[in-house]
Amino acid sequence: MELHQLFLDMAVLVEAQGQQLNDIESHVAHDSSFVMRGTEQLDVAKGYQKTQGNGAALPLFLASFSSLLSYFRFYQPYLRTHRVMDGPYGKGLS
């Protein structure tokens, strides 16, 4: 008798959770279309990246390098010659 009741309880639980399983299945199918579209977009982006090469990185590097160069060329000698008040970072730096 207990085994029969166990199977009846299991059937009730399966029926109750059947809708949730169907919802999960539909969400997985829906998300799979997003993954496929994202993969296609990544392939397109890879093609754009190959055609551009390092064209965007070079101007950024040159701008950074010229900023550092101008700092060491013009601002450092100014600090040494004008002795700005002593600050927390040492003599001449405030």
Side-chain angles (χ1 to χ4, degrees), residues 26-45:
S26 69
H27 286 298
V28 168
H30 190 251
D31 292 343
S32 117
S33 68
F34 284 128
V35 169
M36 287 175 33
R37 207 167 32 171
T39 304
E40 291 169 1
Q41 290 175 352
L42 283 174
D43 288 339
V44 170

Side-chain angles (χ1 to χ4, degrees), residues 65-83:
F65 182 73
S66 66
S67 297
L68 281 173
L69 185 64
S70 64
Y71 171 77
F72 286 114
R73 176 72 177 110
F74 299 109
Y75 193 63
Q76 281 288 337
Y78 174 81
L79 289 178
R80 280 191 222 113
T81 57
H82 289 86
R83 289 292 173 203

Side-chain angles (χ1 to χ4, degrees), residues 4 10 29-30 36 49 55 60 65 69 71 79 85 88-89 94:
H4 179 68
M10 186 66 81
H30 190 251
M36 287 175 33
Q49 188 178 23
L60 183 62
F65 182 73
L69 185 64
Y71 171 77
L79 289 178
M85 62 185 260
Y89 302 112
S94 53

